[in-house]
Amino acid sequence: MVFYISLCLILSNCGGSGGGDEAAALALLGNSSAPAYSSPCDSLVPETGRGVFVADQLISAPGNTGIGYKNANCAADGVRGQGEFNGSLDVYTLAATGSGASIILGWSGGKVQPSTGIDFIVYENPFFVGVQNSSNPFNAVFLEPLIVEVGNDQTNWCGWNPAYTNSDPYTFSNNPTYWNRFAGITPVAYNQDSNPMTVAEVFDTDIVNGGGGGDGFDLSDANFGDSGSGCDSTLKSNIQTNGFTYIKISAAKTILSSLPIDSAHANPDIDGVAAKSVSP
Ligand SMILES: [Ca+2]
Ligand SMILES: [Ca+2]
Ligand SMILES: [Ca+2]
Ligand SMILES: [Ca+2]
């Protein structure tokens, strides 16, 4: 017990809502008599039944250990944002590069359909930093960039050609304006438990003006189909017409290795994905 308490001090969050550190402490102790640990995410489920279609199917997560923030179920258990100034803890953390840097989710066999405006939203756990007022607008975010792609076979993917435009100097910036068509950029107000919002609010990503936040993607965007491994005009057109089955979300540097993302911003955390329309 003494060792456990010490580990708690080191890990700083035992028993907290983050959930994973107690298991990590027990694992470090090699305590074979400890009861099997169950992550909070394993007992949570996404909301259903009102037009917010949360990706609820874990297809692939090579970095999944089932413990704490490495429990991939946290990315498919619903979205629990914490508002403009706090990050959700209901998340799965990606590795910076390699196989563990990506996750593939689905909608229990359904296809996300093209609809008016954004078709789905990706929720990481960014939050505004600093005091916000008229002289300091919402231009600084603790952000960890993600690249988003969609497809129908888990092999060929189409994306939105994400572009980082801070070129002088080419260094990391926490200003969202430079991160075009990435996810992991906009803080999240939508929380299915504590701040469910209306469906219209959820699909309004303008968190500063009352929307649910997160980063929205539109299959009709002019940049859709301009990136992605295996994306061609046939696949692009098929997805734009008939929708897609899978979404692949990756830590940005594992795809665009030259991006100036330091280690403090290289392990994005996935809370979930919500689509506007899904057909069986
Ligand atoms: Ca659309
Ligand atoms: Ca992180
Ligand atoms: Ca994060
Ligand atoms: Ca979640």
Side-chain angles (χ1 to χ4, degrees):
M1 181 53 76
V2 171
F3 290 171
Y4 173 66
I5 292 169
S6 299
L7 281 164
C8 283
L9 291 173
I10 293 166
L11 295 164
S12 77
N13 192 30
C14 285
S17 54
D21 296 329
E22 181 176 350
L26 292 171
L28 283 169
L29 283 171
N31 187 345
S32 59
S33 64
Y37 185 79
S38 176
S39 165
C41 300
D42 295 341
S43 59
L44 298 174
V45 294
E47 70 158 302
T48 59
R50 66 162 186 148
V52 176
F53 297 90
V54 176
D56 58 354
Q57 189 179 21
L58 192 56
I59 304 294
S60 168
N64 179 32
T65 67
I67 297 173
Y69 300 123
K70 286 294 184 181
N71 181 355
N73 287 336
C74 301
D77 68 342
V79 177
R80 295 175 177 84
Q82 298 294 323
E84 294 174 338
F85 301 105
N86 291 287
S88 172
L89 301 176
D90 184 35
V91 294
Y92 169 63
T93 301
L94 296 173
T97 59
S99 64
S102 298
I103 185 172
I104 300 174
L105 299 172
W107 280 260
S108 292
K111 289 186 86 164
V112 174
Q113 298 298 301
S115 55
T116 303
I118 59 171
D119 302 299
F120 65 90
I121 302 172
V122 175
Y123 299 96
E124 206 258 347
N125 64 355
F127 51 91
F128 290 114
V129 292
V131 176
Q132 310 298 332
N133 53 49
S134 58
S135 64
N136 182 16
F138 290 87
N139 61 4
V141 176
F142 184 88
L143 58 85
E144 297 185 285
L146 291 161
I147 290 178
V148 176
E149 301 166 309
V150 296
N152 288 319
D153 62 3
Q154 301 179 40
T155 300
N156 300 293
W157 301 97
C158 286
W160 279 260
N161 198 21
Y164 180 61
T165 56
N166 181 35
S167 58
D168 186 23
Y170 191 61
T171 54
F172 181 85
S173 171
N174 66 4
N175 188 334
T177 194
Y178 295 124
W179 297 94
N180 300 290
R181 302 182 299 281
F182 290 84
I185 308 302
T186 307
V188 180
Y190 163 52
N191 181 312
Q192 69 170 56
D193 298 331
S194 63
N195 190 21
M197 316 188 91
T198 66
V199 174
E201 286 168 342
V202 169
F203 288 105
D204 172 6
T205 58
D206 184 1
I207 185 172
V208 177
N209 293 298
D215 299 289
F217 291 82
D218 187 347
L219 296 172
S220 297
D221 189 301
N223 297 282
F224 179 68
D226 290 347
S227 66
S229 175
C231 189
D232 59 20
S233 59
T234 302
L235 179 57
K236 171 187 171 181
S237 172
N238 188 333
I239 292 172
Q240 288 183 317
T241 304
N242 303 310
F244 65 88
T245 305
Y246 304 110
I247 182 169
K248 182 178 182 181
I249 309 172
S250 304
K253 269 185 86 78
T254 199
I255 293 178
L256 298 177
S257 60
S258 66
L259 283 170
I261 299 173
D262 56 60
S263 60
H265 305 89
N267 295 96
D269 315 284
I270 313 297
D271 194 342
V273 182
K276 194 180 284 180
S277 175
V278 174
S279 75

